[in-house]
């Protein structure tokens, strides 16, 4: 599983990354978590608001900080 946390590195993006890591740990799932900060790469995924979470190529969250429980559902 590949999870991308997209954003420039703002506080919201950092919090989102921590939530994603906590959800992966809670579920005991093996996942590669990538931090994407390049705006061109983010825009190519069709994302124009951050933070965003992309799991295996599917955009799951845009423009808000997801709840850990939501991330856990997405990765189950």
């Amino acid at each position: 599983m590949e999870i991308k946390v997209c954003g420039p590195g703002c506080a919201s993006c950092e919090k989102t990354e921590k939530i994603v890591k906590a959800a992966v740990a809670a579920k005991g799932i093996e996942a590669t978590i990538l931090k994407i900060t390049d705006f061109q790469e983010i825009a190519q995924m069709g994302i124009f608001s951050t933070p965003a979470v992309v799991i295996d190529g599917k955009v799951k969250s845009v423009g808000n900080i997801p709840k850990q429980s939501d991330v856990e559902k997405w990765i189950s």
Side-chain angles (χ1 to χ4, degrees):
M1 179 179 295
E2 181 180 79
I3 303 172
K4 294 180 181 176
V5 178
C6 304
C10 62
S12 295
C13 300
E14 296 297 326
K15 186 170 183 179
T16 298
E17 184 177 16
K18 286 179 184 176
I19 288 169
V20 167
K21 287 180 178 179
V24 168
K27 285 296 194 176
I29 292 174
E30 281 195 39
T32 301
I33 300 171
L34 303 171
K35 178 79 182 208
I36 309 299
T37 58
D38 180 58
F39 282 114
Q40 284 187 322
E41 186 176 348
I42 294 169
Q44 286 174 345
M45 289 185 267
I47 297 167
F48 298 99
S49 182
T50 60
V53 178
V54 180
I55 300 175
D56 289 335
K58 294 180 182 170
V59 178
K60 295 292 189 176
S61 174
V62 176
N64 60 19
I65 300 169
K67 294 178 186 170
Q68 182 174 332
S69 60
D70 289 335
V71 177
E72 288 178 13
K73 288 177 196 169
W74 300 335
I75 62 177
S76 294

